[in-house]
Amino acid sequence: MTDDTDPQTSDDASHPRTRILVPLPILEGGAVSAGLADLLEPLDVTVLGFHVLPEQTPPDQARLQYEDRATDALEDLAVEFGAEDGTADYRLVFTHDRKQTIDRVAAATTAGVYVVPGATGPVERLLVALTGDVAVDHVCAFTAELVGDRDIEVTLFLATDDEAAGRDLLEAARERLTDRGIDVQTDLAVDVAPLEALVDAAADHDAVVMGERAPSLRSLVFGEEAERIAAESVGPVFVVRRLEGDDGEERTLEGDGEGTESDAARDDDGEQSKDGG
Amino acid sequence: MAEESSESVNASSPSSPPSPPSTGPDASVSGTNLDGEAPRVEPTVETDEATITDDAELERTIGLSGGLAIGIGTMIGAGIFVFPGLAAGNAGPAASLSFAIGAVIALLVALPTSELATAMPKSGGGYYFISRGLGTLAGTVVGLSLWFGLVFATAFYLVGFGYYVVDTLVEVGVAAGEWLVIPIAVLAGVAFTILNVTGTENAAKLQNGVVALLLSIIVCFLAVGGLDAAGVFGEPSTPERFAPHGAMPILSTAALVFTSYLGFAQVATVAGEMKDPGRNLPLAMVGSVLVVGVLYVATIFVATSAFGSDQLETLGETAMVEVGRHYLGTVGALAILVGGLLATMSSANASVLSTSRAIYAVSRDALLPRDASRINLRYGTPHVALGLAGGPIVVLTATGRVELLAEVASFLHLVMYGLICVALLALRRNEPEWYDPAFRVPGYPIVPILGALSSFALVAFMQPASRWIGLAIVVLTAGWYAYYARDVSLRGVL
């Protein structure tokens, strides 16, 4: 395990920050755009270098041959995300199943968010999708933390069939973010295909934030939503993970100490599951 | 050289150089082979979801259903689709007893294998347990024999596949003679090798589907055939003496058809990739033996009820097609043809994969040159190992000797199975600190002792030719050990 590059960030109670997982296919020239590294500056980052193998190859066989090369590449990447300041570390996984690896490592590192890294220059406009059955509180809290006091415009996007309820939800979310001094616009799409509308809206933004949705038949057939949006929009897509048993009540944006308690709670959970092995 | 061999003598003693806590006595890996390569064994921590080494993690991605699909998918082919005619010709209706004997032996070995696999959930399967439990000589013999054993088994499955292709061609109205069987089988061998080198993206999902389809075909067939055999409908079948040729053929047939049960140990070769190995490995191994054992016994019973065993014998490798036709007409014949094609293909493909894993396991331990396990970055596949599997498979397939191929494969596997049981006894008698299996054999030590004895005993009932070839391979691999890897020490290393 490679936590040794950064022993104390997650325990640093005075400065709890969301940890974000950046999965990269490390042996396929996985590089990170400068815009993404800058955008993630206020967060703790775990770079997840992974290599997916066809099933006829045992993961250990690939490790023997490629571990050194992958580790070198990962160390360089971790520096780009601030390994020297202690805000980034890395892990290396050989796997047959990319999604399973992301889920497992996200849980083990208590990362609440992972990103599908796309290419982007400096990020000036952020699209935040609240469509569907996602944890709106978590998505807003993460957006606020990501933007911080930087000059980044946020567009809240919602596709729904229920115009009135959608407007209420967008307004409530907008208030939460404007309270934090963030410049917010809203975009309500009614009675349209949600995914296509989101892809259209993403076109004039530099990055997308969305909530993870429960696996559905649709995602089984067409692949994961975030992947498709990343592919269509080219830019990075942030996915705020669903957290089982995390009620999110404490993650409202009304107070100043947003997310603190639940972050700490998640840290504890993560540590237990890590030791369980 | 002299220095190294003295080192390897001491290596298994507990007073090895300091090793990291929490991991096994890894420092006792020692020695180098003729090329100066030492075994690559690193301290690891096994969790239910991943194997964690110093700098990297290896994801465990195969679940219980995947494990069962590997076991059943490897085993389901031969016993139902290739052997009934041959077996019934040898032993009469008592051939179902031969299959039952095979199942019992497989079960006696599957239980100890499960215990070892949960104690050492790593890639390599039987080879890994034996090299750690009994030392490098036994490990080399088993590791290399397993390679050849799988090669023989794959060649056998491919020849069976050839028969089914020819029968299918005849069924759709293309006049194809038996001379086409071997060319088709050889072509299929080449195709599987190339397919595996260039990557079969969703083969595991495909395999699960194939296994499900096969099971449903077989269960339908057995339901209809079983009702008929019991005299519920159709004309009652002529009663036949259960064992017309006496007891001896029952045992020799058990030795012949044991090839049908080789698949359960393949589950152990992916132990390093299986989620929650403490639970899933024993369930997948024992479960797949039970499932296919029951299906085999029932199938032979149904087949010998449909035709007399003499008639079944004349129908040869694809006798089941006629049995299917007997019960369900053309539909039945087609269903069995489709089943036979799928089953022999899935067995052959699974065995090619296992062969490349066996080669990887011995090459990691410096018993073969390291280059044998190199991976091709473009496809991510072990192209050298797959070639070392595919080449001999094609050559053996060209001989077309079904019974010989099957028996040599059984011989080489039975040696391994016997030694697995011995390795369990050795490890249990002197339990190392790292030995902590999640599953323990019920009825220890009787089960592993019976497993070892019956595995070795079954060898005695094979044709002399198969025994000589098998023995020659064992001697050859022992010679390779003496020449190439004498100084490598693996015993007691996790």
Side-chain angles (χ1 to χ4, degrees):
Chain A
M1 292 221 276
T2 53
D3 292 320
D4 49 323
T5 45
D6 172 23
Q8 82 263 61
T9 38
S10 58
D11 300 327
D12 190 352
S14 65
H15 192 54
R17 310 199 293 182
T18 296
R19 180 164 287 277
I20 182 163
L21 200 64
V22 184
L24 289 167
I26 194 67
L27 291 175
E28 288 156 32
V32 186
S33 57
L36 181 61
D38 289 344
L39 185 63
L40 292 183
E41 229 222 296
L43 302 169
D44 285 338
V45 174
T46 294
V47 184
L48 168 62
F50 67 88
H51 186 58
V52 178
L53 294 152
E55 68 207 67
Q56 53 267 63
T57 313
D60 193 45
Q61 191 168 358
R63 179 183 70 86
L64 280 187
Q65 197 170 333
Y66 296 118
E67 182 173 11
D68 294 343
R69 220 168 107 186
T71 307
D72 286 348
L74 266 174
E75 272 168 0
D76 292 348
L77 278 172
V79 168
E80 283 183 47
F81 284 107
E84 277 154 7
D85 311 328
T87 61
D89 61 9
Y90 68 85
R91 293 169 77 132
L92 173 62
V93 183
F94 292 89
T95 182
H96 293 303
D97 184 341
R98 174 183 152 282
K99 179 77 179 112
Q100 184 183 317
T101 297
I102 291 175
D103 285 343
R104 179 181 62 83
V105 175
T109 55
T110 68
V113 182
Y114 71 87
V115 62
V116 183
T120 181
V123 174
E124 283 155 7
R125 307 192 57 185
L126 198 59
L127 185 70
V128 178
L130 301 176
T131 306
D133 167 33
V134 300
V136 173
D137 276 346
H138 287 189
V139 174
C140 290
F142 168 73
T143 305
E145 196 181 347
L146 181 67
V147 172
D149 46 15
R150 292 186 289 185
D151 190 16
I152 297 174
E153 265 178 45
V154 170
T155 306
L156 291 170
F157 171 88
L158 177 65
T160 180
D161 296 339
D162 183 350
E163 191 173 349
R167 204 171 292 287
D168 289 347
L169 179 68
L170 276 181
E171 195 48 42
R174 194 181 68 82
E175 262 174 41
R176 291 176 181 185
L177 291 180
T178 43
D179 283 351
R180 302 283 302 254
I182 296 171
D183 185 3
V184 183
Q185 296 173 344
T186 60
D187 181 357
L188 183 66
V190 183
D191 288 332
V192 292
L195 196 63
E196 284 69 17
L198 177 58
V199 168
D200 285 345
D204 41 339
H205 291 78
D206 303 309
V208 177
V209 177
M210 58 193 292
E212 185 179 33
R213 296 166 73 172
S216 63
L217 184 63
R218 200 185 155 83
S219 67
L220 278 177
V221 176
F222 295 107
E224 231 183 300
E225 239 179 355
E227 298 294 325
R228 300 177 60 205
I229 293 164
E232 299 266 351
S233 72
V234 187
V237 175
F238 296 89
V239 182
V240 180
R241 295 177 62 230
R242 299 169 70 82
L243 294 163
E244 308 291 335
D246 187 1
D247 44 34
E249 281 166 35
E250 297 157 302
R251 292 200 59 126
T252 57
L253 287 174
E254 255 86 53
D256 271 334
E258 108 283 335
T260 307
E261 286 94 336
S262 66
D263 266 354
R266 270 188 291 132
D267 275 358
D268 290 346
D269 290 351
E271 290 306 322
Q272 276 160 18
S273 70
K274 216 192 252 177
D275 296 341
Chain B
M1 272 309 202
E3 256 176 43
E4 278 157 6
S5 34
S6 70
E7 220 177 84
S8 65
V9 170
N10 294 333
S12 51
S13 74
S15 63
S16 42
S19 58
S22 83
T23 56
D26 60 297
S28 58
V29 197
S30 69
T32 55
N33 63 21
L34 204 60
D35 295 339
E37 294 160 342
R40 286 276 300 264
V41 178
E42 283 163 64
T44 56
V45 178
E46 310 287 346
T47 74
D48 283 348
E49 292 159 336
T51 299
I52 298 160
T53 70
D54 270 349
D55 290 315
E57 294 158 53
L58 312 168
E59 194 81 38
R60 293 179 173 274
T61 51
I62 301 175
L64 177 58
S65 61
L68 280 168
I70 291 171
I72 297 177
T74 317
M75 285 194 274
I76 200 97
I80 287 179
F81 293 101
V82 185
F83 277 135
L86 307 176
N90 287 347
S96 51
L97 191 60
S98 305
F99 273 98
I101 292 171
V104 169
I105 295 178
L107 208 57
L108 286 175
V109 179
L111 290 167
T113 310
S114 297
E115 170 169 335
L116 290 168
T118 61
M120 299 174 249
K122 305 196 184 236
S123 300
Y127 156 74
Y128 196 90
F129 316 143
I130 290 168
S131 62
R132 270 52 184 180
L134 299 175
T136 314
L137 172 60
T140 313
V141 169
V142 165
L144 300 181
S145 297
L146 181 60
W147 166 15
F148 293 113
L150 285 165
V151 161
F152 275 89
T154 313
F156 160 71
Y157 300 138
L158 286 171
V159 176
F161 173 73
Y163 277 105
Y164 269 90
V165 172
V166 167
D167 254 43
T168 310
L169 287 176
V170 170
E171 203 69 26
V172 298
V174 181
E178 290 234 326
W179 63 271
L180 258 177
V181 168
I182 302 302
I184 288 171
V186 168
L187 218 62
V190 174
F192 278 126
T193 311
I194 294 174
L195 201 70
N196 276 307
V197 170
T198 53
T200 44
E201 271 303 309
N202 292 313
K205 280 173 206 142
L206 208 63
Q207 175 88 340
N208 292 359
V210 166
V211 169
L213 183 62
L214 271 175
L215 287 179
S216 45
I217 290 177
I218 293 166
V219 168
C220 286
F221 165 80
L222 287 178
V224 175
L227 289 176
D228 184 285
V232 175
F233 58 83
E235 74 272 37
S237 46
T238 33
E240 191 183 0
R241 273 188 58 198
F242 182 65
H245 310 295
M248 191 58 192
I250 298 179
L251 291 172
S252 62
T253 305
L256 169 68
V257 303
F258 194 71
T259 320
S260 318
Y261 292 104
L262 301 189
F264 72 87
Q266 262 53 279
V267 181
T269 62
V270 298
E273 291 150 64
M274 192 165 257
K275 292 180 210 167
D276 195 359
R279 165 179 174 270
N280 289 341
L281 276 169
L283 281 178
M285 278 196 260
V286 174
S288 53
V289 170
L290 287 176
V291 168
V292 298
V294 167
L295 292 179
Y296 285 169
V297 172
T299 303
I300 302 296
F301 174 73
V302 168
T304 50
S305 309
F307 299 115
S309 47
D310 294 335
Q311 197 186 345
L312 215 49
E313 184 178 18
T314 60
L315 296 170
E317 279 82 359
T318 49
M320 285 308 285
V321 179
E322 295 312 314
V323 177
R325 198 190 312 278
H326 173 83
Y327 286 121
L328 288 167
T330 316
V331 178
L334 285 177
I336 297 292
L337 280 173
V338 170
L341 289 173
L342 288 176
T344 46
M345 273 199 286
S346 91
S347 294
N349 194 47
S351 305
V352 172
L353 286 188
S354 300
T355 317
S356 102
R357 280 167 198 268
I359 293 172
Y360 160 61
V362 286
S363 123
R364 178 187 55 190
D365 284 345
L367 304 180
L368 274 184
R370 176 103 342 119
D371 280 347
S373 59
R374 283 199 70 77
I375 294 172
N376 172 326
L377 188 52
R378 171 145 174 231
Y379 299 118
T381 51
H383 56 293
V384 184
L386 286 168
L388 287 172
I393 286 171
V394 167
V395 172
L396 287 175
T397 306
T399 68
R401 299 278 305 275
V402 172
E403 296 196 22
L404 191 72
L405 292 171
E407 281 204 356
V408 175
S410 289
F411 179 103
L412 294 170
H413 278 83
L414 283 166
V415 169
M416 173 173 87
Y417 293 164
L419 287 177
I420 286 177
C421 296
V422 176
L424 175 72
L425 292 166
L427 280 168
R428 278 275 204 113
R429 217 177 60 162
N430 190 355
E431 275 197 33
E433 204 179 313
W434 52 262
Y435 190 78
D436 182 25
F439 168 85
R440 285 187 178 253
V441 178
Y444 177 90
I446 297 165
V447 167
I449 289 175
L450 279 180
L453 289 179
S454 54
S455 299
F456 293 133
L458 205 51
V459 168
F461 295 101
M462 291 180 173
Q463 305 169 28
S466 323
R467 274 183 281 165
W468 284 117
I469 295 176
L471 202 63
I473 291 175
V474 168
V475 171
L476 217 67
T477 53
W480 173 261
Y481 160 79
Y483 162 72
Y484 188 76
R486 208 174 353 159
D487 297 330
V488 175
S489 169
L490 300 169
R491 190 180 186 146
V493 176
L494 187 59

